[in-house]
Every structure is written in structure tokens, then in C-alpha cells.
Amino acid sequence: MTEAAHPKDIIDEKLGTLPAWDLTDLYPAPDSTELEADLVAVEKSAIAFNGKYAGKLADLNGDALCAAIESYEDSQEIMGKVMSYAYLVYAGNMSDPEVGKFFQSMQERSTGISSHLLFFTLELNQLDDKELQSKIGGSSLAKYAPWLRDLRAQKDYQLSDDVEKILHEKRVSGRSAWVRLFDETMASLRFPYMGEEFSSAQILNKLSDRDPKARKEAAQSLGKVLGENQRLFAHITNTLAKDKEVEDQWRGFARPVSSRNLANVVEDEVVDALVSSVSDSYQDLAHRYYKLKARWFGVEQLPYWDRNAPLPDDDDDVISWDDATETVLTAYAGFSPRLAEVGQKFFDNPWIDAPVRPGKAPGAFAHPTVPCAHPYLLVNYQGRTRDVMTLAHELGHGVHQVLAGVQGPLMADTPLTLAETASVFGEMLTFQSVLKKKVDAKARRIMLASKVEDMLNTVVRQVAMHQFETRVHDERRKGELLPEQLGEIWMETQKASLGPAIRFENEYAAYWSYVPHFIHAPFYVYAYAFGDCLVNSLYAVYQQSEDGFAEKYLDMLSAGGSKRHKELLAPFGLNASDPDFWKQGLKVVSGFIDQLEDME
């Protein structure tokens, strides 16, 4: 348990010293007296809060209601700190039963404590609009107006207090338990590869290996093992989709995606415009690029395992951790010294967990924790160019979370659509910085192709995943889906998006099941495409702007969730509600492909 909570730095012969995070800034250990003291104190505080305010909010004036929100916010921050710690320990080693037990116990205790506080947001939403506005006017409550605005957006979908409490308390034994089952199953899977057994992160990395035989064996191993577990993954997916359907119907959401859009503070029509714009561009983007790549490889069709393969003339050098760090921070500094200064803190302190380890969560993420602490980054760094871009991406999240912390626990969080802005912008800064240093035509072509592939993965593939998810949830409303049906929907959406230049084999039908976003956060994935197109438009403004852009950009990040996307983008002259906005973003990708065609 101690090793899981406090992993060690790893020295790799090629990569150098890969840092591990130190979670003691949150708590010394899972069994520490500090953690237990916080749990006891916040439970006592929550019970007292309930006794003081339940049923009495309508009688409070603006200043008194502000004081109540401040007290509520304090409790939310402590519980957020506890659950951030519990999740990060868990993400460090999902295969350790003791770690899983600790994570579950923290979820259960947190749910029990928060049940005393649940009345507060429900009762706030029962206040009359005019009555609430009168409380806000001329009082200290005005500082929480953005939070109240977003909270009351949920008002029409709120159920009775008793039903809300049941849903809240059963989540830990319902949805959260299924998510945990998925995570622990995926973390425990081992994929045979050249006489060894690899984790999912290791086997996925082999899909971009220089050796075509290595790519093929890795791809087939991934498909085989996922295929052997389809029954379980299909059961988890069916259960969670049905669970969502039941709750959506009770709340009155028109479509499966609507609850996510509401949480993202974005209209259904805006997301529909994004998805249709991207899908209408499949042929001009993915189909055109993969046809070009197939030609570079001397074939009519690329096998699916070559989709992210290094180009034939790519040296594919391994990039050390120190070089990756310098590359990203130099790019950030070229845009804004302040951005790089905040980013530097992640490397000066043990806030990043970089090595691949058995049981560690695959992929990458930035966890904001709470404003009284600091974010942590998890990556699985293996020295490829894409790993450097992933580092730039997650650091963008981390910097954003640090800057937004000034808004406090209730308003620091940014809707997912805007949360991807800083991360994708960080990637773009890093790409452009590296590209400027490439004077050789071959090197520029390789770099440009790599960026196009990243953008296609972020825009086209994520929208295709959104379409897969939409069809799955729509079909689930008619009845349970067999594993074969899930595979068929996956293959249809993938073929439509990637085009005829990619050849798919039967085992690829199981690949839908390794995507954690489908399980963790239904309809999350379109946020990546939203963020990429938004950043393309934002970067175009940056290239044409005079001095002052960086300051406006940092102000946007510092706003956290206190402003909506229209307010945040207005200083840059951008409007995501305009269909042309998405087309402009997609033109950037198309323009890069034009350049690659001209280089032939």
C-alpha cells in the first residue's frame, strides 16, 4: 500500500530519470491521522450545516446566503481533497486489492458525508428567480452569481429531494462500482507480445513502432485479448447505458447527449453543428490524408495497425524526458513567460507521474485536485514524439487548473468543452515551436504529417467515437446489445470516418472496448474535437494579433468556470455558435494536408 501511494522515480537507459509524483502534499499516507481527522471534521461540519440551513434558505438575506455558500464551499474543498488523494493513489496502481479497497472506502465515506449537504443545491434551485435576484443585488452573494447561474441551469431536470438522495447514495454501489470494475479489469489485462506480456499502455505504444511486424503483432494481440473480454465489457457498457437511460428519462432529457451538453454549458445545436461539420469533412481530411500516407508506404490500403505508424523515412529517435521537458517549456515560454513559469512548477516539484508501471492507469490525465493544493499529471512516457505532445497537452491542463484556482472550489472547474482549450493550445505551441527549428524539407514533412495525424485523432476520430456512442445509446433504448452488435457499430463508424485507404481486420471490432471515456464520462469525447477546432481558430487570431493576445489568453484561463464560452471567446472575436466557426477550424487541418500534398 505504501509503494502504491508513494511510487519511486525510475531511471531508464534511454529516457533518463522519469519522475513519479509525491502525493504527500495532499496526505502523508492512506492510513494517516491527517486524512482521518479531515474526514471526521468535515462530517461533523456537514451535519451541523444541515441542521443550521436545511429548509431555511428562503429566509436568508443575500449576505447570510453568501456565508452559507462559503461554508458549503469549505466542505466541498475538504471532500475534494480526500477524493483527489484516493483517486490518485488508485490510478497509481489499480491492480492492488488494498488500493482498490481504500478507494472504495473513501467513496463510501464521501457519499455518506455529502448526503448531509445534498439538500443545499436542491433547495437553492427551489428559490424563486426574482427572489434570488433580489438577494444577489447589492450583497456579497454577487460573487457566486456565476455558480448559481450554472447550478440553476439544472433546475428543470431536478427531481424530488428524496429521489435525488436515493440516486446520490446508490451511485457508489451502482455506476461507480461498474466504472471501477472496468478500470481494474483493463489494468489487469496482459497482452502477449514477442514472448512477453505487456500492459495496455505498452501494447498501444507498439502500434507506432518502426517495425511493421511489431505493429502487426501488437495490434492483433490487443484485438485478441480485448475480444476474449468482450462479454464483460459489453455487459458493463449495456448496464451503464441503461442506467443513464433510466435517469435521463426521469429527469426529462430529450437525448442521451443532452445531460452532457448541459453540464458543458453548451447548447445541443452547437454540438450538432460541430459533429455535422466534422463528419461532412471526413473525405477532405481523413480519407485524403490516409490515401496520401498509403501512397508513401507504397500500398493501396494501409492495414489499420499502420494508421499511426512512423513514416518510412522517419528516424523515430527516442526522446529523453529532459529533452521533452525542455521542448515543451521552451514552446510555452515563447508564447508567454508567465505560462512557462507556471508550467515549470510541475517539473520543479513531484507533481508528474511519468513511468509506465504494472497496474498504473493507462493513457494520461491532469487531475486538478482542489485550489488549496495543486494539480497532478499522469502520463505513460515512452519517448515518442506523440508522448512529447501528450506532455504538452496535459501540462496545458495543469497550467489552466492552477490559474483557474483563484476562482475557488465551486467556480474553478471549467466545462469540458473549454477545459480542452488550454491543453490543445499547449500542443499547438509545442508543434509550431519544433516545426520552426526544422530546416530540412524531409524533417518538416515528417513533423507536419505527425501533427496532421494528431489532429485527425483529436477531431475526426473523436467525432467518430461520439457517433459510435450516440448509436450505442440510441440502440440500447430498444434492448440490450450483443458484443457483436457493438463491434458492428464500431466498425461502421470507423470505416466511415477513416475512409477506404485503411484496411480493417476482424479483431479490430473489439477496439471500442478499451476507450475509457465511454465508461467514465459518457459523451465526453466530442470535447476534444470542440477544443481542437476552437484552438485552430484561436491560434489563427494569435498569428494575426498585435501585442496583448497572451494577456487575454491568460485571463481566459484564469476565469475558470465563472464565464461561459460566448463570454470567454468574445475578446478574440470568436463565436462557437456560428457554423462557420467550425469550418474555419477544420480549414487549418485541411491546409496542412494541402502542404503535404505539395511536398510530394
Side-chain angles (χ1 to χ4, degrees), residues 453-486:
E453 292 185 15
D454 286 344
M455 296 173 98
L456 293 179
N457 284 333
T458 304
V459 178
V460 169
R461 194 154 183 266
Q462 298 299 334
V463 164
M465 287 183 181
H466 172 80
Q467 292 175 315
F468 165 80
E469 213 171 357
T470 300
R471 286 185 56 185
V472 166
H473 282 266
D474 286 345
E475 291 296 320
R476 181 63 183 91
R477 294 188 172 196
K478 303 173 187 176
E480 183 164 296
L481 296 167
L482 296 172
E484 293 78 12
Q485 290 175 279
L486 291 164

Side-chain angles (χ1 to χ4, degrees), residues 400 403-407 411-415 418 554-564 568:
H400 190 180
L403 293 173
V406 297
Q407 299 296 337
M411 292 187 289
D413 281 351
T414 306
L418 292 169
L554 292 174
D555 287 344
M556 180 179 73
L557 300 189
S558 299
S562 67
K563 295 181 180 179
R564 294 184 171 179
L568 290 170

Side-chain angles (χ1 to χ4, degrees), residues 284-350:
D284 182 50
L285 301 179
H287 296 197
R288 185 160 63 109
Y289 174 75
Y290 291 123
K291 182 180 179 181
L292 184 62
K293 185 168 184 176
R295 194 154 64 240
W296 292 337
F297 276 73
V299 295
E300 286 291 319
Q301 281 188 311
L302 287 169
Y304 74 87
W305 52 78
D306 283 348
R307 187 172 62 83
N308 288 321
L311 298 189
D313 51 356
D314 186 354
D315 295 333
D316 193 35
D317 294 332
V318 172
I319 303 165
S320 72
W321 177 257
D322 286 347
D323 286 345
T325 300
E326 182 181 1
T327 296
V328 173
L329 290 177
T330 298
Y332 275 43
F335 171 74
S336 162
R338 171 65 177 150
L339 200 70
E341 179 187 337
V342 178
Q344 183 72 52
K345 293 180 181 180
F346 287 83
F347 300 94
D348 291 344
N349 297 282

Side-chain angles (χ1 to χ4, degrees), residues 352-373:
I352 304 177
D353 196 75
V356 177
R357 290 190 306 272
K360 179 180 172 180
F365 64 73
H367 195 302
T369 73
V370 287
C372 69

Side-chain angles (χ1 to χ4, degrees), residues 64-253:
L65 187 54
C66 178
I69 295 177
E70 288 173 342
S71 179
Y72 173 80
E73 186 172 39
D74 289 342
S75 293
Q76 291 295 317
E77 183 155 38
I78 294 171
M79 287 194 297
K81 182 181 177 184
V82 169
M83 287 313 302
S84 294
Y85 179 71
Y87 179 73
L88 292 173
V89 170
Y90 177 63
N93 190 355
M94 291 178 168
S95 60
D96 186 328
E98 287 294 323
V99 170
K101 178 182 176 181
F102 168 67
F103 181 51
Q104 180 70 14
S105 68
M106 291 299 100
Q107 284 187 306
E108 292 177 5
R109 289 188 69 176
S110 178
T111 298
I113 293 167
S114 58
S115 66
H116 298 296
L117 302 171
L118 182 62
F119 82 91
F120 189 61
T121 52
L122 300 178
E123 195 172 323
L124 281 171
N125 273 350
Q126 291 163 4
L127 296 177
D128 178 76
D129 286 339
K130 290 183 179 178
E131 182 184 352
L132 182 59
Q133 287 305 314
S134 69
K135 293 178 187 293
I136 292 174
S139 77
S140 56
L141 184 59
K143 73 175 182 178
Y144 287 108
W147 178 71
L148 289 166
R149 173 203 63 198
D150 292 344
L151 174 67
R152 289 173 73 79
Q154 307 278 347
K155 182 179 179 180
D156 293 342
Y157 307 96
Q158 187 170 295
L159 303 174
S160 69
D161 291 6
D162 286 345
V163 174
E164 291 287 0
K165 187 171 183 181
I166 290 171
L167 289 172
H168 177 73
E169 292 185 357
K170 282 186 67 65
R171 185 169 292 269
V172 72
S173 60
R175 175 174 178 76
S176 296
W178 289 103
V179 171
R180 179 184 167 194
L181 175 61
F182 171 84
D183 285 343
E184 293 185 3
T185 301
M186 188 59 67
S188 67
L189 291 183
R190 293 295 176 265
F191 301 86
Y193 176 79
M194 295 188 177
E196 298 183 64
E197 290 197 333
F198 278 16
S199 67
S200 60
Q202 291 172 309
I203 204 74
L204 285 165
N205 182 57
K206 288 296 178 183
L207 293 181
S208 55
D209 196 278
R210 279 209 59 75
D211 183 356
K213 292 181 180 178
R215 296 194 297 270
K216 181 178 181 180
E217 182 172 342
Q220 292 178 334
S221 178
L222 181 63
K224 181 175 185 297
V225 174
L226 291 176
E228 291 167 351
N229 289 271
Q230 286 296 279
R231 186 176 177 185
L232 174 59
F233 290 136
H235 184 55
I236 293 171
T237 300
N238 273 291
T239 302
L240 289 175
K242 184 63 179 178
D243 179 77
K244 176 172 169 52
E245 178 195 351
V246 170
E247 186 166 334
D248 280 354
Q249 288 181 344
W250 272 77
R251 294 190 183 281
F253 286 111

